[in-house]
Amino acid sequence: MSLLPTPPPSLRTIPATSAASSTVALRPVVILPGLGNNTGDYKDMAMTLREGYGIPSMVARVSRVDWLRHAAALLSPGFWKGSLRPRPLIDWFCTVLAALTLFTATAEWQYLERVAEAVAEAKLLLEDGGSISLVGHSAGGWLARIYMEEFGMSRISLLLTLGSPHLPPPKGLPGVIDQTRGLLDYIEKNCAPAVYTPELKYICIAGRYIQGAPLFGNSNDPSCDPMLVGEELNKIKLPAKYSNDKSLLSAPSLHARFVGQSYKQVCGQADVWGDGVVPEVSAHLEGALNISLDGVYHSPVGSDGTIRPWFGSASVLKRWVHHLLT
C-alpha cells in the first residue's frame, strides 16, 4: 500500500544544500527529542544547523529521567485496554506520581509544556510575518502533531519528522502489540491530517538502514538450526550435502531477524526496510512530502556519524536541511 501523496512526489535522494544567504530571514527551528533521548543528544545537530547553515535552533528541555515518569501509564486502565490518550494521561499520571512522591517536581514534567517553552523562545527571534519550524525525531514527530492540536499552529509553517512512527500497527495480527497502547490511534483520529501547502508543510523523512527478516527461515531440514544464519554459518562446519547451498550462505543475519521483530511490532511486517527501529512505511504520512534516505540509522545514541550516521549527523542533515531554508 503506497502512502505517498500526489502531489507532491516522493523523493529517494536529496541533493546537498549550502547555507542560505545571510540576507534571508531563516525560520528558527525547535527540535523535539524522541522517546528516551535527552536534550544533549541533539546538541551536535542544533550546532550544525546554527553554525553550518545559520538557522537559529533550540531543543525542547528533556532529560532521560523525565521519560521514566511515563512508567506511571502502567497505572492507567487505558494502558491495558490499548486506549491511552495523550493530554488526559499526562495530567493524570503527573498527579498520581506527585501524590505517591515517586519523583520530585513531577508535575513539571509535561512534554508538551517543554515544547511550548521552546516554541515561545523561538518566537522571540521572529521578525514581522516570520514563522518557525518544528523538527521532531522519532516519537517527537507524533508528539509534535499533538502539540499542534493542543496548542495551535500559530506561527508554525513547517513540521519535519525524522524516523517518526506515525501509523498505528494493523490490528488482529498474531504477536503484534501496539507499543503506544492506543496513542497513535488517537492521533490518527483526532489530529489534523498531514498537508503540504505553501502555508503549512509536513515533511516526513524515513531511513533505509537495514532490511528486516522473519524470525525463522523456511528450512525444512531439522539438522539446520534456523538461528545460525548469515556470517555465523561460516563459523560452523555444515554437512557435506549443504556445503554448496548458496541459499544458506545468503540467509538473513541474526541482526536482521532481531530488527525484523521490531519492525513487525510497528507495521505488522518483518521483511521491510527501515532505520533499524522504525520501518520506512510507518515513517511516512499520506498528504505529506515523504522522503526516504538510504544508509540512515534511527538514533543519535549508537550512531558514530560515519559508518552508522543518523538523521542528524552532518553528512545526512545536508541531504534534507534545504527544506528548512525555503
Side-chain angles (χ1 to χ4, degrees):
M1 178 181 66
S2 173
L3 297 178
L4 304 182
T6 306
S10 172
L11 303 180
R12 175 62 63 188
T13 58
I14 302 300
T17 303
S18 60
S21 167
S22 59
T23 62
V24 178
L26 299 178
R27 290 188 302 267
V29 168
V30 173
I31 300 170
L32 284 69
L35 181 65
N37 292 113
N38 64 21
T39 303
D41 292 336
Y42 304 88
K43 177 182 66 175
D44 290 344
M45 175 181 168
M47 183 174 66
T48 300
L49 289 172
R50 288 193 299 266
E51 299 183 3
Y53 299 93
I55 302 175
S57 305
M58 53 216 69
V59 187
R61 185 171 53 89
V62 176
S63 72
R64 296 198 208 286
V65 173
D66 287 330
W67 291 108
L68 294 177
R69 293 165 181 156
H70 280 285
L74 294 171
L75 303 176
S76 168
F79 178 89
W80 303 104
K81 295 177 181 178
S83 60
L84 287 182
R85 297 294 178 265
R87 171 61 71 171
L89 170 66
I90 292 172
D91 295 338
W92 182 83
F93 76 67
C94 283
T95 302
V96 170
L97 283 182
L100 294 175
T101 64
L102 295 178
F103 296 95
T104 59
T106 301
E108 295 181 6
W109 163 240
Q110 294 188 21
Y111 186 100
L112 301 183
E113 275 68 21
R114 301 286 177 85
V115 175
E117 292 171 2
V119 168
E121 182 181 348
K123 287 181 177 179
L124 294 176
L125 304 177
L126 294 180
E127 298 179 0
D128 291 343
S131 62
I132 68 173
S133 301
L134 300 182
V135 176
H137 168 238
S138 193
W142 53 261
L143 283 164
R145 297 178 65 196
I146 296 175
Y147 170 83
M148 293 165 70
E149 195 69 28
E150 295 269 341
F151 287 77
M153 293 177 279
S154 173
R155 310 296 290 274
I156 297 172
S157 62
L158 172 67
L159 169 60
L160 187 146
T161 66
L162 304 170
S164 296
H166 287 293
L167 306 177
K171 295 177 174 55
L173 292 181
V176 175
I177 301 174
D178 180 4
Q179 304 298 303
T180 68
R181 306 306 295 155
L183 287 177
L184 287 179
D185 273 317
Y186 174 90
I187 293 169
E188 188 173 57
K189 295 173 182 176
N190 295 278
C191 290
V195 295
Y196 189 84
T197 67
E199 297 75 29
L200 178 61
K201 298 178 181 178
Y202 280 65
I203 300 174
C204 300
I205 302 180
R208 288 172 54 88
Y209 179 76
I210 182 173
Q211 183 177 14
L215 185 58
F216 298 107
N218 297 320
S219 175
N220 295 320
D221 191 288
S223 66
C224 189
D225 184 349
M227 296 306 291
L228 294 172
V229 293
E231 295 180 359
E232 298 194 10
L233 285 170
N234 297 326
K235 300 176 184 179
I236 64 172
K237 185 175 179 59
L238 293 173
K241 63 178 179 177
Y242 296 117
S243 60
N244 295 320
D245 191 337
K246 298 186 183 302
S247 66
L248 290 177
L249 297 177
S250 62
S253 67
L254 286 176
H255 183 204
R257 294 180 187 271
F258 176 81
V259 166
Q261 297 316 295
S262 173
Y263 292 167
K264 184 177 180 180
Q265 294 303 312
V266 180
C267 73
Q269 286 183 264
D271 55 346
V272 295
W273 278 91
D275 60 19
V277 176
V278 175
E280 178 182 16
V281 66
S282 298
H284 287 165
L285 269 175
E286 184 176 0
L289 172 60
N290 292 313
I291 300 168
S292 293
L293 299 179
D294 292 327
V296 177
Y297 181 64
H298 179 77
S299 175
V301 178
S303 168
D304 59 10
T306 54
I307 296 176
R308 183 188 280 184
W310 81 286
F311 294 99
S313 297
S315 61
V316 178
L317 188 150
K318 70 180 181 181
R319 298 162 68 184
W320 56 261
V321 69
H322 63 282
H323 293 290
L324 304 179
L325 300 171
T326 56

